[in-house]
Amino acid sequence: MKSMSPVHRLPDQLRNHKYRFYLAHNKIPVQPSWNSTTNYRYDELELASWHGNYGLVCGIGGIIVLDFDNMELYEKVVSQLPPTFTVQSASRKLPHMYYVLEGPMMKKDSIHDSTGKTLLDVQADRSGVIGAGSRIGLDEYTVMKDIPIATILHDTLRSVFGIMPKMPGERQSFPENKEVEARTRCILAYCNIKPTTHSLYQCPFHAMHGNGNLNIMEGSGHLWCFHENRRWNPINFMYAVAHHRADDKLHYVASIIQQELRSAK
Amino acid sequence: MTQPKDAGSQAESYFESILAKKNVMFERRVTIDYFINGIIPVEVKSCSLLKNKGNPDVAQLKYGNFQLNQEQHDSVLKENGWYCFLITYDDQSLLVGFLKANTLKRLTYSIREIALLKPVSLKEFTQQLGMSMGGQQ
């Protein structure tokens, strides 16, 4: 008996006219402009008659997929994320968590470990993810959690992963934010907190996990450890580091900067 | 607006702008960068906040250091002058503070080391400037 094509096993959660699908061979889209014009609703003939793999165009209909490349990270964060429809990848058996993003759509984003290895891709605006039922050789993308697609907030992505979601077409940062960011980075230098990447630092209050856990929040310039979910304004952070290290000199510098800021206001 | 050519000139432009905001008169000289009100020598030292350790593909970053020049330092010391320490990050410049040359005992300092030497702010510097000017008048 001939088995059903991957498209015919499209999960009910994705049978929604809001979503768009593309035709794929293994993981590769087979048509140009697959993420803009050459994609289909689940009930369109082009898709229904396709016997190969298929993918979901993320971003359309507000959908994003947390595409884990590391099982440890998934196990660590899954309890902090809303339970949602999840697909297991074919070859490496890693989870793809599907969400509807509340608020404006973001650009695709990633987090990496200290060696640059990808731990997670957030498949978002116009990126693709291969759907359940598709096959790579003998291995198949299977439904891991057959539950409705949950919604997720930008704030949740920020707090769990330290990702600062960027909107499509958004500038990296505005000039006024750059000054705030520069001041915070300067304070981190005073504290001798080492940068681990261009956007992350090693949190001084615990052992380093992954690629560093301390992030500068865009706009406010506040510091945020997404491992412990703690936030500080830069001066309070300086005081906390001084207290943690019993560093009186640093404490004094913090108090001077605080006075300067107060008098500037 | 003219774009500064490098981090050094970016820092100097910033230094001039903060002095101008405080209505402080300054002039550029050859041996020491600036003379404030014609008499107080100030050498501007800047460094990049972050530097890549070498491999551009791997974000191995480290903090910049302030480097003094022995000959120049001797000149600033001789004139009982000051250093102004500035940090550059992208197109931003930030003031760390002002230190008397005689408080510096080495030629290389990290950003943290300069901060821990308790440099005076621009406000304090200009106040001290006023006092020293007043003392001479």
Side-chain angles (χ1 to χ4, degrees):
Chain A
M1 193 179 107
K2 196 176 175 183
S3 64
M4 289 166 78
S5 75
V7 169
H8 291 140
R9 289 190 282 157
L10 187 80
D12 287 344
Q13 290 87 340
L14 298 174
R15 290 177 184 269
N16 186 320
H17 282 170
K18 287 191 296 186
Y19 304 142
R20 307 287 297 188
F21 302 90
Y22 61 93
L23 315 181
H25 177 68
N26 288 332
K27 292 183 177 182
I28 310 297
V30 296
Q31 294 175 303
S33 309
W34 60 273
N35 61 354
S36 54
T37 51
T38 320
N39 47 54
Y40 311 98
R41 291 199 316 254
Y42 76 92
D43 54 359
E44 284 188 86
L45 185 62
E46 288 89 341
L47 188 72
S49 60
W50 175 250
H51 291 279
N53 288 346
Y54 72 96
L56 170 72
V57 183
C58 296
I60 299 174
I63 202 156
I64 64 166
V65 176
L66 304 184
D67 176 357
F68 285 86
D69 276 333
N70 180 291
M71 200 62 186
E72 281 176 20
L73 177 66
Y74 169 74
E75 285 165 356
K76 191 173 133 190
V77 301
V78 67
S79 62
Q80 301 168 53
L81 295 165
T84 192
F85 173 67
T86 305
V87 171
Q88 190 178 56
S89 68
S91 312
R92 296 178 59 205
K93 310 295 179 202
L94 290 164
H96 291 175
M97 299 180 79
Y98 287 61
Y99 286 102
V100 172
L101 181 65
E102 204 165 289
M105 184 45 59
M106 59 185 280
K107 282 184 188 173
K108 180 182 173 174
D109 211 337
S110 304
I111 59 173
H112 305 91
D113 69 11
S114 54
T115 64
K117 199 173 160 189
T118 304
L119 301 174
L120 170 81
D121 282 318
V122 182
Q123 306 290 0
D125 188 48
R126 309 287 164 171
S127 61
V129 66
I130 295 295
S134 297
R135 298 183 199 99
I136 306 291
L138 295 175
D139 299 319
E140 187 175 310
Y141 285 79
T142 55
V143 175
M144 195 173 154
K145 283 189 189 172
D146 196 5
I147 58 177
I149 298 172
T151 55
I152 195 163
L153 304 169
H154 288 263
D155 275 352
T156 308
L157 295 174
R158 286 193 189 103
S159 65
V160 177
F161 300 109
I163 287 172
M164 301 294 157
K166 301 279 189 306
M167 304 309 137
E170 185 188 347
R171 288 174 61 182
Q172 193 68 18
S173 59
F174 294 100
E176 61 269 31
N177 292 350
K178 282 177 81 175
E179 188 183 339
V180 169
E181 180 197 330
R183 289 194 182 282
T184 302
R185 285 187 185 272
C186 202
I187 280 174
L188 288 164
Y190 295 168
C191 297
N192 205 25
I193 307 291
K194 303 286 184 194
T196 52
T197 71
H198 283 282
S199 58
L200 292 173
Y201 286 77
Q202 185 173 348
C203 181
F205 304 115
H206 59 80
M208 191 159 87
H209 297 271
N211 210 13
N213 310 100
L214 193 65
N215 208 330
I216 300 171
M217 300 179 75
E218 199 171 317
S220 68
H222 285 193
L223 287 153
W224 169 38
C225 171
F226 54 84
H227 179 68
E228 295 187 334
N229 198 19
R230 293 170 70 191
R231 290 177 191 204
W232 304 265
N233 74 38
I235 301 297
N236 287 345
F237 178 82
M238 234 175 146
Y239 280 126
V241 173
H243 178 73
H244 183 67
R245 294 178 183 163
D247 186 339
D248 292 342
K249 281 186 177 177
L250 189 63
H251 190 279
Y252 177 81
V253 173
S255 68
I256 295 294
I257 295 173
Q258 190 173 32
Q259 279 172 27
E260 282 173 18
L261 287 174
R262 278 182 185 156
S263 64
K265 279 178 187 173
Chain B
M1 191 178 136
T2 309
Q3 288 296 315
K5 286 175 190 170
D6 54 41
S9 55
Q10 178 183 324
E12 284 170 3
S13 299
Y14 178 73
F15 178 71
E16 290 175 14
S17 72
I18 60 174
L19 290 184
K21 276 183 195 167
K22 291 271 179 187
N23 296 318
V24 175
M25 303 286 287
F26 60 88
E27 61 180 278
R28 295 223 53 169
R29 294 213 187 150
V30 178
T31 50
I32 299 171
D33 286 336
Y34 293 91
F35 276 74
I36 309 295
N37 293 338
I39 52 164
I40 312 289
V42 179
E43 178 67 23
V44 173
K45 282 288 159 198
S46 65
C47 75
S48 296
L49 180 57
L50 290 172
K51 286 177 168 180
N52 196 302
K53 277 179 185 168
N55 185 345
D57 298 326
V58 181
Q60 285 186 304
L61 299 163
K62 65 172 188 173
Y63 291 119
N65 288 313
F66 292 107
Q67 300 280 352
L68 311 188
N69 171 294
Q70 183 68 65
E71 199 179 338
Q72 197 175 45
H73 185 53
D74 291 341
S75 304
V76 184
L77 275 174
K78 195 177 164 189
E79 299 273 359
N80 193 26
W82 291 76
Y83 280 96
C84 172
F85 291 96
L86 294 165
I87 289 171
T88 58
Y89 175 72
D90 283 350
D91 57 353
Q92 300 291 318
S93 298
L94 297 169
L95 175 68
V96 179
F98 294 81
L99 282 169
K100 289 283 277 189
N102 59 15
T103 60
L104 301 170
K105 308 297 178 198
R106 305 199 309 265
L107 295 178
T108 303
Y109 285 89
S110 68
I111 295 169
R112 174 184 160 83
E113 285 170 332
I114 290 295
L116 295 185
L117 285 173
K118 303 168 188 173
V120 301
S121 65
L122 177 64
K123 190 179 171 186
E124 287 175 279
F125 176 70
T126 49
Q127 280 169 354
Q128 290 193 25
L129 210 64
M131 283 170 66
S132 63
M133 289 298 293
Q136 288 180 26
Q137 282 167 357

